[in-house]
């Protein structure tokens, strides 16, 4: 625990019941997040810091399962550390060191750890502490190290909301403003702002576990594109940008004559607004097939966007994930919504601009559709998750190209698969699985109903 505004007396009290969380929320169904943390520690002789360790529940699993690792538990609460010490004595573990210090000023030398774990801490902090703790974690972590975060996950289902509601109420009362800001944040963007890039995310029951690498690692590697630029410009079977229809389009629009910023913007605007938001028969369509359809959703629009960007010499890559189905309500309806899988394969394009990877997920929904949703939901001011849009605020949503990240569905991401060179590579590993019956129903009935719904919203 890390919030300096909470008294030492409070920590002394909760240290006696803190581990009840594990029994109530982490072992009652689904994967145990503590075990996933153990899986993410892949080196057998790593140096691991359990930062703000509390009663050392996270670090204990690592120390117990990997005796070759040296695990340090650090916390400012002596009652918490006394509970941790008792656990170590009960287990007879010798590869652990407990330290009573503040996480914002540890006094430990830089680049000391291969892994740093921060579990159930940041949701109760304010922005000053976010900066201080994550800055210290960045200093202590080796350049090729990994930051592992365990924290409460946004609940989409009614069951999940009911189960998490007691904790949500408690956390909201303790730090109402900053808890909600962190809880509802896109964790990829949140941690990116503090110098870490999301590499892997696993969703458990009421929590997520995510692994991050230091951003500087990518800047010195992939982002420089010195030896690997070609793979972000390659033509593939799906990204078939040398096809006649695409070459003719590029020539007719004269995109290749524009400067880099305007070139990206022109291609993005074309795919966003002239290829309307709609549901194709398959995620595996080639760029040429999507162009011919004249409409697309996240995966198919991403394929076309990549093809057109590469056709005009802009390096780009694909970011893969899964999203919850619940924010699709309004675009989907009735039986279609019930038959849909709980999570849906979701991708977006990242383009290299000024030595940074910029996300262009906003390409999914055309402006006419977005304006239709805004007209249909004029009173929605806070977090919005309907009509295939999932954003912090629908009223403030602006998806025009501006040189920065553009998102329209990312707050419903439940699992992150990282980046891929092409949709071909991504879908070899993460193709959406349907039964033959469901696939037939979707292709010949479901998507037509959905496209009709989208058209009606656009015309509001």
């Amino acid at each position: 625990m890390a919030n300096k505004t909470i008294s030492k007396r409070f920590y002394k009290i909760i240290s006696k019941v803190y581990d009840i969380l594990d029994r109530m929320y982490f072992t009652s169904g689904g994967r145990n997040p503590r075990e996933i943390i153990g899986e993410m520690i892949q080196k057998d002789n790593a140096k691991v810091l359990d930062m703000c360790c509390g009663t050392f529940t996270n670090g204990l699993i690592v120390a117990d399962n990997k005796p070759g690792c040296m695990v340090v538990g650090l916390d400012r609460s002596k009652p918490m550390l006394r509970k941790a010490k008792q656990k170590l004595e009960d287990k007879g573990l010798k590869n652990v060191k407990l330290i009573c210090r503040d996480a914002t000023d540890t006094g430990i030398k830089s680049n000391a750890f291969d892994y740093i774990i921060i579990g159930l801490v940041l949701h109760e902090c304010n922005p000053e502490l976010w900066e201080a703790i994550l800055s210290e974690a960045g200093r202590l972590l080796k350049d090729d190290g990994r930051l592992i975060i365990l924290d409460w996950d946004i609940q989409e289902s009614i069951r999940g909301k009911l189960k998490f509601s007691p904790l949500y109420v408690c956390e909201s009362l303790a730090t109402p403003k900053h808890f909600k800001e962190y809880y509802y944040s896109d964790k990829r963007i949140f941690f990116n702002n503090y110098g870490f890039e999301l590499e892997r995310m696993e969703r458990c029951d009421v929590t997520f576990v995510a692994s991050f690498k230091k951003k500087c690692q990518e800047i010195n590697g992939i982002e420089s594109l010195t030896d690997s630029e070609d793979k972000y410009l390659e033509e593939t079977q799906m990204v078939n940008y040398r096809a006649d229809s695409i070459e003719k389009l590029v020539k007719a629009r004269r995109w290749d004559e524009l400067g880099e910023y305007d070139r990206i913007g022109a291609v993005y605007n074309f795919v966003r607004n002239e290829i309307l938001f709609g549901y194709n028969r398959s995620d595996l369509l080639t760029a040429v097939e999507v162009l011919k359809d004249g409409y697309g959703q996240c995966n198919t629009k991403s394929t076309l966007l990549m093809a057109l960007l590469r056709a005009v010499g802009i390096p780009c890559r694909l970011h893969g994930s899964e999203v919850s189905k619940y924010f699709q309500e309004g675009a989907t309806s009735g039986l279609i919504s019930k038959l849909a899988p709980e999570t849906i394969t979701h991708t977006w394009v990242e383009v290299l601009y000024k030595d940074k990877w910029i996300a262009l997920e906003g390409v999914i929904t055309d402006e006419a559709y977005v304006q239709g949703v805004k007209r249909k939901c004029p009173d929605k001011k806070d977090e919005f998750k309907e009509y295939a849009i999932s954003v912090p605020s629908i009223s403030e949503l602006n998806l025009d190209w501006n040189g920065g990240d553009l998102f329209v569905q990312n707050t419903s991401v439940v699992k992150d698969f990282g980046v891929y060179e092409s949709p071909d590579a991504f879908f070899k590993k993460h193709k959406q699985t349907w039964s033959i019956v469901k696939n037939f129903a979707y292709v010949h009935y479901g998507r037509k109903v959905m496209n009709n719904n989208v058209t009606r919203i656009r015309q509001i």
Side-chain angles (χ1 to χ4, degrees), residues 203-239:
R203 193 180 194 192
C204 300
D205 193 1
V206 295
T207 60
F208 71 87
V209 182
S211 174
F212 298 83
K213 61 182 179 180
K214 294 170 79 170
K215 281 174 65 177
C216 61
Q217 181 180 344
E218 183 172 41
I219 292 172
N220 294 331
I222 295 175
E223 283 193 356
S224 67
L225 293 182
T226 52
D227 299 320
S228 54
E229 183 172 1
D230 287 348
K231 67 183 181 181
Y232 297 109
L233 290 169
E234 284 181 353
E235 184 179 35
T236 68
Q237 184 173 343
M238 292 178 70
V239 186

Side-chain angles (χ1 to χ4, degrees), residues 150-351:
L150 160 63
D151 224 317
W152 304 125
D153 193 17
I154 299 173
Q155 298 304 302
E156 302 279 353
S157 68
I158 294 175
R159 173 190 170 276
K161 288 178 179 179
L162 288 173
K163 182 175 182 178
F164 187 66
S165 59
L167 282 172
Y168 183 86
V169 171
C170 290
E171 300 289 6
S172 296
L173 290 174
T175 54
K177 179 180 178 181
H178 302 304
F179 166 70
K180 291 181 180 179
E181 180 181 348
Y182 175 79
Y183 180 72
Y184 289 111
S185 69
D186 179 333
K187 300 308 183 292
R188 191 188 72 86
I189 296 175
F190 179 90
F191 286 95
N192 186 74
N193 290 336
Y194 293 99
F196 297 95
E197 184 191 16
L198 180 62
E199 191 173 51
R200 174 186 171 190
M201 178 179 281
E202 296 286 344
R203 193 180 194 192
C204 300
D205 193 1
V206 295
T207 60
F208 71 87
V209 182
S211 174
F212 298 83
K213 61 182 179 180
K214 294 170 79 170
K215 281 174 65 177
C216 61
Q217 181 180 344
E218 183 172 41
I219 292 172
N220 294 331
I222 295 175
E223 283 193 356
S224 67
L225 293 182
T226 52
D227 299 320
S228 54
E229 183 172 1
D230 287 348
K231 67 183 181 181
Y232 297 109
L233 290 169
E234 284 181 353
E235 184 179 35
T236 68
Q237 184 173 343
M238 292 178 70
V239 186
N240 53 343
Y241 65 80
R242 291 191 177 92
D244 287 345
S245 59
I246 290 181
E247 288 187 340
K248 288 178 181 177
L249 175 63
V250 171
K251 185 177 181 179
R253 299 295 178 114
R254 303 174 71 173
W255 289 330
D256 54 345
E257 299 176 15
L258 300 174
E260 184 182 26
Y261 179 90
D262 291 331
R263 212 181 323 156
I264 296 170
V267 170
Y268 168 82
N269 288 334
F270 171 82
V271 179
R272 182 180 173 226
N273 290 317
E274 296 189 51
I275 305 298
L276 298 179
F277 172 49
Y279 296 89
N280 311 91
R281 63 189 181 279
S282 171
D283 288 335
L284 305 181
L285 300 184
T286 67
V288 169
E289 290 172 317
V290 181
L291 182 63
K292 183 178 179 181
D293 275 1
Y295 60 88
Q297 32 83 356
C298 61
N299 301 317
T300 52
K301 276 200 171 190
S302 291
T303 298
L304 178 58
L305 180 59
M306 289 186 74
L308 294 177
L309 288 168
R310 291 184 180 186
V312 296
I314 302 295
C316 56
R317 67 188 187 185
L318 195 74
H319 199 125
S321 69
E322 286 183 352
V323 289
S324 164
K325 72 175 181 179
Y326 295 101
F327 77 100
Q328 298 274 356
E329 292 179 4
T332 61
S333 58
L335 182 61
I336 299 169
S337 179
K338 289 183 173 62
L339 292 177
E342 289 293 307
T343 60
I344 302 166
T345 303
H346 175 64
T347 60
W348 66 86
V349 175
E350 294 177 349
V351 62

Side-chain angles (χ1 to χ4, degrees), residues 3 53 58 63 76 85 92 100 130 138 164 199 228 234 261 268 284 286 294 367 387 398 427 442-443 449:
N3 195 330
C53 67
N58 296 317
R76 61 193 287 267
K85 184 179 179 181
C100 187
W130 292 335
F164 187 66
E199 191 173 51
S228 54
E234 284 181 353
Y261 179 90
Y268 168 82
L284 305 181
T286 67
E367 187 62 22
Y387 299 100
N398 184 347
F427 285 112
Y442 167 77
V443 171
V449 173

